[in-house]
Amino acid sequence: MRPRSIVAFDWLYLGALALTVALSPWTIAQGQALFRANPAMAQFESFGRVMLIVSLVVGLAISLVLWYFISRRASNVAKWICVALIAYGALSAIKLFVDPVLGQTPSLATLPLYALNLAAVYCLFRKDAVAWFEGKAPVDPDDFR
């Protein structure tokens, strides 16, 4: 039986993936607008759209593989890879808010995405999740309420 923190991780992490899919049409439209805005890049608009879609699909596939190994296999390696990727994404977003590159500032619509991912990572470091990753007996979640 998986601990409550891992179940909470599932909901938060998969919710973030669902939000990513929901925001993908907007993200693709934003990418196309960047290509259209630059006359030298306008000829690559369709290629850019395809690459955005491919990167979205590959990113989702990687995220689902990490989720599987974290949630179903209790892989500590997958946990740390996920933590590193989410931390890198959050730090990159902060950097874009401070110093936009090519005028790309993360929108307020993406803030819940970062919040869900950070909350999911938090769940991986709760007492019952740590014990589960170490293969120890389950900890009663009421011990740390």
Side-chain angles (χ1 to χ4, degrees), residues 20-33:
T20 299
V21 171
L23 290 173
S24 63
W26 176 79
T27 304
I28 292 168
Q30 292 294 100
Q32 286 181 292

Side-chain angles (χ1 to χ4, degrees), residues 5-145:
S5 293
I6 297 300
V7 173
F9 166 80
D10 288 349
W11 282 100
L12 293 166
Y13 191 74
L14 294 175
L17 288 179
L19 184 57
T20 299
V21 171
L23 290 173
S24 63
W26 176 79
T27 304
I28 292 168
Q30 292 294 100
Q32 286 181 292
L34 282 174
F35 277 100
R36 279 189 224 115
N38 186 344
M41 298 297 290
Q43 62 185 348
F44 300 111
E45 180 183 347
S46 61
F47 177 73
R49 183 181 62 239
V50 169
M51 290 310 297
L52 283 170
I53 293 169
V54 167
S55 66
L56 176 70
V57 169
V58 169
L60 288 173
I62 290 169
S63 294
L64 286 172
V65 167
L66 286 173
W67 166 79
Y68 173 78
F69 280 102
I70 291 168
S71 181
R72 304 296 180 195
R73 299 289 183 188
S75 170
N76 223 8
V77 173
K79 173 180 109 172
W80 284 107
I81 291 171
C82 182
V83 167
L85 290 174
I86 289 173
Y88 176 75
L91 292 173
S92 296
I94 291 169
K95 181 180 182 278
L96 284 176
F97 273 116
V98 174
D99 182 26
V101 177
L102 297 175
Q104 290 180 313
T105 303
S107 75
L108 295 178
T110 60
L111 290 180
L113 180 64
Y114 297 120
L116 285 172
N117 278 318
L118 292 172
V121 164
Y122 169 76
C123 291
L124 297 177
F125 292 96
R126 294 191 54 173
K127 210 181 252 188
D128 58 338
V130 170
W132 186 68
F133 281 116
E134 293 173 352
K136 295 181 180 175
V139 175
D140 183 12
D142 291 328
D143 288 347
F144 44 88
R145 279 190 181 220

